[in-house]
Amino acid sequence: MTTQDVFENLQELLEHNEIREFREAFLDHHIYDQTQFYLDFTDDERLELYSILSPQELSEIFENIDFDEVDIKPYLKEISPEYLSAMFDEMSSDNAADILTNLTKRERRAIFSQMTPENVTEIRNLMHYDEETAGSLMTTEFVAVVANQTVSSAMTVIKATAEDAETIYYVYVLDNDKQLLGVISLRSLLISHDDTLISDIVNEHIIKVDVEEPQERVARYFRDYDLLALPVISHDNIMLGIVTVDDIIDVIDDEAQSDYSGLAGVNTDNVNQNPIQSAAKRLPWLVALLFLGMGTASLIDHFDGLVSKASVLAIFISLITGTAGNAGTQSLAVSVRRISLNDEENRSFFGLILAEIATGLVTGAVTGLTIFIVVSLWKGNMILGLAVGVAMFCAITVANLAGSLIPVAMDRLGFDPAVASGPFISTMSDLTSVFIYFSIAGIFIHFF
Amino acid sequence: MTTQDVFENLQELLEHNEIREFREAFLDHHIYDQTQFYLDFTDDERLELYSILSPQELSEIFENIDFDEVDIKPYLKEISPEYLSAMFDEMSSDNAADILTNLTKRERRAIFSQMTPENVTEIRNLMHYDEETAGSLMTTEFVAVVANQTVSSAMTVIKATAEDAETIYYVYVLDNDKQLLGVISLRSLLISHDDTLISDIVNEHIIKVDVEEPQERVARYFRDYDLLALPVISHDNIMLGIVTVDDIIDVIDDEAQSDYSGLAGVNTDNVNQNPIQSAAKRLPWLVALLFLGMGTASLIDHFDGLVSKASVLAIFISLITGTAGNAGTQSLAVSVRRISLNDEENRSFFGLILAEIATGLVTGAVTGLTIFIVVSLWKGNMILGLAVGVAMFCAITVANLAGSLIPVAMDRLGFDPAVASGPFISTMSDLTSVFIYFSIAGIFIHFF
C-alpha cells in the first residue's frame, strides 16, 4: 500500500465516522508520518481530528512540524484555547516555546491562563532567549542527580523521569545550588555496581555551553565530540537545560541550506513548487540584479567612444567580467564558510582581508599572465594583450577583496553573511571589472 | 591555560620522559582533544607515544581522526604491524574497515594475520560495501535480543554488551534466523516491569534501511524521524548492523559542504591556508574557465562586424550574459538540492526538465519585458529594446535548461551533480547568451 493509499484510506474512515478504526490506523504510524497526514488533511478533516485525538497525541504531531516550511498560525487558530492549553502542557518546553512565539501576546495569555503554572514559567523563560542561541534550542526536561547518591538510587530517579525527560541517556550531576558538576552516561550507570557512589564514576570533564552561545558553535561541539546531548548553563554555571542531537541535525541542515541558497541567490528550501511559484521566488533577485547590471551597461555606454574606435575591445568584456566574477564567488564561498565555522583563531578582520588580497594577487597574476600570452598570440598585438592582462589582474584582485570583505563586514554588522550572495558579488564585480578594463584600455587605445 | 600551553606542556613531559605524568595529563583530555594533540606531535614524539599508550587507547584516537582532512597513511606506516593488529582488534568494525581501506592488500594481510579471526571476518565484510552507502557507514556492534525473553533478561544482555556496543540505547529484536522483528528503546525497557515479555513491548513499526541504500537517504531518515540509530538489513531482512547518529552528522555536514563547494567552484574544506595554497586550490578552475571563456571571446570576435557597425551592441553584452548566468545558477542550485534530497516522487527526468523550462520561460518573459521597457526608454529605440528583450528571454530560458539539465544528467550518469558548478554553468551560459544575442541583433542590425 503506497502512502497515498494509506492517506485515502484514513480520509475514508474519517468520512464514515469510524472513529475507533481511524484512531487505530492513524496512531499506528510513525509520528513523522502522522504529521504529514495531519498537514495534508482538509480543514474539515482536521477539525474532526481534534475531537478524536487527545491533546497529548496532537502535541507529538506539533513537535514534529517543521516551522521553516509550514506556517503554523492557521492551524493554531482553528483549535480551541482549552485544547491548546492541554496540548502545550504535554509538550516539551522548548517546542512549546517555539510554537507559542507565533501567537500574539493576547492569544498566548488565553492559553497560559489554563496551563499548569510551572510549565508556563518554564516556557516563558525559554521564550526570552535570543533566536539561534543555545537557549532557544534547549529543553528543560533533563535527568539530574546529586553526587552522593548511589547508582541504584540514581536509576530510580531515571526510571521515574523517563517518561518526561527529553533524553535519559545522559544523567547530569548537580550540587545543591543546581551548579553543574559532571555527567554520567546511562551506559556507565548500567555497568556500575548498584552501591557505587555517583561521585566515584562521574565524568567531571564535561563539555557544556553558555545559554547565549550561537547555535553554530553548539552544532560544532556535537560534530567534534560525537554527543547525544549537551548541557546548557547560565553565566554562573547553573544548569538550565540540554540541547539534544535531533535539534542539532536540523540546525546543521538549515545552516548549510541557507549558505547554499545565499550563494545561488535563490531560496532552495521548498523544491516542490510549480513553475509560477518557482519563478516568483527567483524573480526578485534576478530583476534586482538586472537593474544593478544596468549600472554596468551604462558604464560601457559611457565608454562607447572607445568601443567605436576599437571594436576589438568588446571581445574581452565578458571574459574579464566572467573570470573576475568566478574569482569573487570562490572568495565569497571561502569567506562565508570560514565565518560559519566560527573559527576563533582566524577571525582577525585585517588578517583575513590581507590573506584574501594576497590570494587575489596570486590568482590575478597567474590568470593575467595567461590571458596576456593568449591574446598577444591570438591578436598578434602585445599591447592589447598587456591591457587585457593588466585589467584581468586588477579585476580579479578587486573581486577577491569584495568577495571576502562584504561577508565579513556583514557578519560584523550583525547580518547573515550568506545574504551577500554569489550573483550579487558577480554583478558587483561586473561593474568594477568593466570600469577597470576600459580605464586601462583608454590608456593604450592608440595602439589597438 | 590555553590549548597551546597544554600542548607545550605535554611536549615537555614527553621530552623529559615523564611517562606517568604524561599519561595522566594526556588521557585526562576529551578524545577529540587527544586526537588533535596526536596529529600535532612531531614524528619523534609520536614514535614515543606508541610505547606509552596502549593499542586500545590509540584505537580511540584513530576512531576520531577525520579522514577527509588527514592523510592517514603515513601514520599507519610508522606503527608496527603487531601494535596495529592489537589496535584494530579494539576498534569498532566500521572505523577499522574505513581505515584499513587506505592500506595495500599486502599491508592489510600482515595486520589481519595477527588479529582475532572473527574481527577480521567482520571487517572484511564491511570493506565490501560501496562507499557512501548504508553498508559503509554501519557498525556491527549492536545489542540484539529475542522476542520471548523477559525485560530483566534483556537488561542482562545489555549490561554484558554495554562495553562493546556502539549504542545500547536501542535494542533490536531478532528471530532465530537473525531476521529483524522490531526495536525497543532502553528507555521503554527501563520503565517496563521486569517480567514483561519483550514481544509485548516491542515496536514492530521499525524504520530500517537496506545495506545498499545511499547515505543521503539514510541521513534523511535520521532528520525526519529524529533517530539515534538505524538498523541496516540485507535483501532478505537479515539484520547486518546499525548506523549511528554521530556518523550521520558527518554525512550531512560533508554533503552540504561538497554541494556548497561545487556551487562556488572551490573546495572550501580547509579554510586555514596561506595565500599561495589558497591560490593553488582556486587556479585550476579559474584557468579552465578562462579558456572556456575564450570561446565566448572568439564568438564575439566572429560578430565583430556587427559591433563595429553598431557599438551600442557592446553595452548589453555583460548585462545579458550576467543575468542569464544568475538565472542558470539559481536553476542549478535548485536542481542539485532536489537531487541531494533524493526526492523519489519528483525524479521523473522529463517532468523535472519541463518544469524548469517553464520556470525559465516565466522568469525570461518577465526579465525580457523589463529590459525591453528600460532599453526602449533609455535609448529611445524600441527595435533595439525588442532585440535585447528577446535575446534576454531566450538566453535565460536556455540557461535555466542547462542549469537543471546538466546536474540531472550527471547524476544519472553516476557523477556527483554538484561538480557541475556555478561558475561552469555561468561560463557556459555566457557562450550561448552571446550567440543568441548577436544572432538576434544581426536580424535587426539595420534599425540601430
Side-chain angles (χ1 to χ4, degrees), chain B residues 191-438:
Chain B
I191 59 177
S192 300
H193 195 276
D194 276 359
D195 299 333
T196 313
L197 274 180
I198 293 296
S199 53
D200 290 338
I201 53 169
V202 61
N203 176 3
E204 289 171 351
H205 287 283
I206 191 166
I207 295 157
K208 54 194 177 183
V209 290
D210 187 274
V211 68
E212 284 171 5
E213 205 129 5
Q215 63 180 14
E216 306 85 41
R217 190 111 32 104
V218 179
R220 205 176 171 199
Y221 284 120
F222 274 87
R223 208 155 38 199
D224 288 346
Y225 292 98
D226 288 349
L227 306 166
L228 297 180
L230 185 62
V232 180
I233 54 162
S234 67
H235 295 294
D236 41 2
N237 199 33
I238 305 286
M239 171 123 182
L240 300 174
I242 54 170
V243 178
T244 51
V245 68
D246 50 313
D247 294 327
I248 285 302
I249 287 194
D250 296 338
V251 169
I252 294 178
D253 208 43
D254 288 349
E255 290 280 330
Q257 182 52 20
S258 87
D259 283 358
Y260 185 72
S261 295
L263 194 57
V266 61
N267 179 357
T268 58
D269 251 356
N270 193 345
V271 291
N272 304 323
Q273 293 179 313
N274 68 42
I276 301 288
Q277 288 171 318
S278 300
K281 214 166 55 174
R282 298 183 200 178
L283 273 167
W285 255 115
L286 273 187
V287 173
L289 291 171
L290 182 71
F291 280 98
L292 193 58
M294 285 302 300
T296 310
S298 30
L299 195 63
I300 303 178
D301 187 36
H302 175 77
F303 288 112
D304 195 33
L306 288 180
V307 180
S308 39
K309 267 186 225 156
S311 66
V312 68
L313 285 178
I315 298 175
F316 300 104
I317 295 176
S318 75
L319 190 65
I320 289 178
T321 57
T323 308
N326 291 342
T329 306
Q330 290 183 329
S331 173
L332 170 76
V334 171
S335 184
V336 169
R337 173 72 181 166
R338 184 144 40 191
I339 292 169
S340 83
L341 281 180
N342 235 313
D343 232 331
E344 282 304 318
E345 305 123 79
N346 295 285
R347 298 197 71 196
S348 134
F349 186 88
F350 290 105
L352 275 182
I353 302 305
L354 280 179
E356 204 52 45
I357 294 180
T359 306
L361 289 172
V362 176
T363 48
V366 174
T367 317
L369 190 66
T370 311
I371 199 66
F372 162 70
I373 296 169
V374 171
V375 172
S376 302
L377 293 178
W378 181 28
K379 290 285 165 191
N381 184 338
M382 279 182 68
I383 306 283
L384 180 66
L386 188 68
V388 175
V390 171
M392 185 72 94
F393 170 73
C394 298
I396 286 182
T397 307
V398 171
N400 262 37
L401 180 62
S404 61
L405 191 64
I406 293 178
V408 173
M410 291 189 83
D411 185 47
R412 291 288 154 127
L413 295 172
F415 296 105
D416 181 357
V419 170
S421 75
F424 176 69
I425 292 282
S426 14
T427 309
M428 279 292 291
S429 110
D430 281 359
L431 193 71
T432 54
S433 305
V434 161
F435 181 74
I436 291 168
Y437 175 49
F438 280 111

Side-chain angles (χ1 to χ4, degrees), chain A residues 28 30 33 162 165-166 187 205 223 225 253 257 265 271 282 297 301 304 311 330 337-338 356 379, chain B residues 28 30 162 165-166 169 187 205 223 225 253 257 265 271 282 297 301 304 311 315 330 337-338 356 379:
Chain A
D28 208 32
H30 190 284
D33 301 317
E166 184 98 359
R187 186 196 293 241
H205 287 282
R223 207 154 39 198
Y225 293 98
D253 207 44
Q257 182 53 19
V271 291
R282 297 183 200 179
D301 187 37
D304 195 34
S311 65
Q330 289 184 330
R337 174 73 181 165
R338 184 144 40 189
E356 204 53 44
K379 290 285 164 191
Chain B
D28 207 30
H30 190 284
E166 184 99 359
Y169 303 134
R187 186 196 293 241
H205 287 283
R223 208 155 38 199
Y225 292 98
D253 208 43
Q257 182 52 20
V271 291
R282 298 183 200 178
D301 187 36
D304 195 33
S311 66
I315 298 175
Q330 290 183 329
R337 173 72 181 166
R338 184 144 40 191
E356 204 52 45
K379 290 285 165 191

Side-chain angles (χ1 to χ4, degrees), chain A residues 172 180 183 206-210 229-233 239 241-243:
Chain A
Y172 298 94
L180 177 61
V183 66
I206 189 166
I207 294 157
K208 54 194 177 183
V209 289
D210 187 272
L230 185 61
V232 180
I233 53 162
M239 170 123 183
I242 53 170
V243 178

Side-chain angles (χ1 to χ4, degrees), chain A residues 137-139 141-143 165-172 180 183-185 205-209 218-219 221-223 225-232 239 241-248, chain B residues 30 169 187 228 245-246 249:
Chain A
L137 288 174
M138 78 181 179
T139 170
E141 284 91 3
F142 58 90
V143 184
E166 184 98 359
T167 179
I168 60 164
Y169 303 135
Y170 289 146
V171 178
Y172 298 94
L180 177 61
V183 66
I184 310 179
S185 69
H205 287 282
I206 189 166
I207 294 157
K208 54 194 177 183
V209 289
V218 179
Y221 284 120
F222 274 87
R223 207 154 39 198
Y225 293 98
D226 289 349
L227 306 166
L228 298 180
L230 185 61
V232 180
M239 170 123 183
I242 53 170
V243 178
T244 51
V245 70
D246 51 314
D247 294 327
I248 285 302
Chain B
H30 190 284
Y169 303 134
R187 186 196 293 241
L228 297 180
V245 68
D246 50 313
I249 287 194

